[in-house]
DNA sequence: GTACAGATTGAG
DNA sequence: TCAATCTGTACT
C-alpha cells in the first residue's frame, strides 16, 4: 500500500528534506528506488546554488516555486541532474538526488547522472509536480537508517565556507558505494 | 559574437 | 588524465 509524500513534506527547509527523504522511495513509471544520497542547496546565500544572490535564469526559474517540483538540468552537456524544490514559494531551495538503490546493480544508480539515465529522466520532467504527477512521485517508508554527512561534491568554486559545509547526506550503510572526500 | 567553467562519467 | 558537449556568464 503506497503512501505518497505530499506537498507539506517538501515545503520545509532543504536541509531537513534532504535528510528526511533518505530511506524513502522514488517512483518513475514502473521503476522504484530507495534514496540513499542527497545534497541540500539551501537558497540565495548558498554560493554553490544556481540561485545564488537571487539569480533567475531560464534554467533555474522553477527553483522559486514552492516545494515538490522537479528541477532537472543538464551538466557537462551530457548528464541530467534531478533536484526537487523545497521551502515556500519565492524561496529557491532544493535538494539534489545523488544515489538510489533500485535493487539491482548499485553501480548503475550511484551517481546523479547515472540515476537519471537509469530512470529515463530528462528535460521532459522539468517542472513536474511530484505531489500530483502520474509519472514521478515519492513514497513514504518507515525504515530507519543511520545518516552521515560530508561536504558536497564538485562545488569547489563556491569558496571555502560553502564548499566545506556538510550539506551532503547519505545512508551510512551505503558509504562503500559512494564517492568519499579525498582528504 | 567568443571563451570558458561547470552540482559528471567512463575510458585510457 | 582527459574528453564528451549544453547552458550560463563574462567578456570583446
Amino acid at each position: 500500500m503506497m503512501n505518497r509524500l505530499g506537498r507539506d513534506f517538501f515545503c520545509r527547509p532543504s536541509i531537513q528534506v534532504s535528510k528526511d527523504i533518505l530511506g524513502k522511495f522514488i517512483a518513475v513509471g514502473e521503476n522504484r528506488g530507495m534514496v540513499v544520497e542527497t545534497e541540500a542547496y539551501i537558497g540565495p546565500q548558498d554560493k554553490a546554488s544556481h540561485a545564488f544572490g537571487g539569480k533567475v535564469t531560464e534554467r533555474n526559474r522553477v527553483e522559486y516555486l514552492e516545494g515538490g517540483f522537479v528541477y532537472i538540468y543538464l551538466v557537462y552537456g551530457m548528464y541530467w541532474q534531478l533536484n526537487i524544490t523545497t521551502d515556500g514559494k519565492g524561496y529557491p531551495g532544493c535538494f539534489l538526488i545523488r544515489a538510489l538503490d533500485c535493487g539491482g546493480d548499485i553501480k548503475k544508480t550511484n551517481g546523479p547522472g547515472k540515476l537519471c539515465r537509469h530512470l529515463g529522466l530528462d528535460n521532459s520532467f522539468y517542472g513536474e509536480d511530484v505531489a500530483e504527477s502520474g509519472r514521478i512521485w515519492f513514497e513514504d517508508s518507515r525504515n530507519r537508517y543511520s545518516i552521515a554527512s560530508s561536504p558536497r561534491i564538485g562545488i569547489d568554486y563556491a569558496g571555502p565556507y560553502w564548499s566545506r559545509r556538510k550539506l551532503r547526506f547519505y545512508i551510512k550503510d551505503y558509504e562503500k558505494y559512494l564517492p568519499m572526500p579525498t582528504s
Side-chain angles (χ1 to χ4, degrees):
Chain A
M1 158 81 194
M2 97 152 178
N3 185 11
R4 182 178 187 140
L5 294 175
R7 178 77 59 217
D8 292 349
F9 180 88
F10 299 98
C11 290
R12 296 181 295 144
S14 55
I15 293 176
Q16 190 105 27
V17 182
S18 297
K19 291 194 268 192
D20 289 352
I21 199 75
L22 294 173
K24 296 184 168 48
F25 291 84
I26 185 173
V28 181
E30 299 302 305
N31 290 309
R32 291 282 183 293
M34 188 174 77
V35 181
V36 301
E37 183 190 7
T38 59
E39 281 177 359
Y41 289 83
I42 71 176
Q45 72 273 44
D46 183 352
K47 276 194 177 175
S49 170
H50 292 161
F52 176 62
K55 184 176 54 176
V56 182
T57 66
E58 181 58 26
R59 181 177 69 166
N60 79 355
R61 62 188 161 76
V62 75
E63 281 202 87
Y64 290 82
L65 298 180
E66 62 186 329
F69 290 85
V70 172
Y71 172 37
I72 190 166
Y73 65 90
L74 200 58
V75 277
Y76 304 113
M78 308 183 75
Y79 298 106
W80 296 100
Q81 308 279 287
L82 176 63
N83 300 253
I84 307 297
T85 63
T86 60
D87 299 272
K89 184 170 172 53
Y91 189 89
C94 71
F95 67 94
L96 169 68
I97 301 180
R98 291 193 51 92
L100 299 173
D101 183 349
C102 294
D105 182 358
I106 186 110
K107 290 189 172 59
K108 292 180 178 174
T109 53
N110 66 344
K114 292 189 203 179
L115 68 90
C116 285
R117 189 174 54 194
H118 183 80
L119 295 175
L121 295 170
D122 59 24
N123 203 42
S124 74
F125 284 81
Y126 186 87
E128 196 86 1
D129 181 358
V130 303
E132 298 289 339
S133 173
R135 57 183 187 146
I136 182 170
W137 65 89
F138 289 85
E139 293 176 12
D140 204 355
S141 163
R142 294 178 188 283
N143 296 338
R144 288 291 174 270
Y145 297 92
S146 177
I147 295 174
S149 64
S150 86
R152 292 173 292 183
I153 307 292
I155 55 145
D156 290 346
Y157 62 85
Y161 178 75
W162 290 101
S163 65
R164 288 176 196 160
R165 241 187 109 171
K166 293 184 171 182
L167 295 175
R168 171 177 176 242
F169 306 98
Y170 56 90
I171 295 177
K172 202 154 176 42
D173 296 346
Y174 287 85
E175 194 166 82
K176 57 180 178 254
Y177 302 114
L178 306 176
M180 285 298 125
T182 44
S183 65

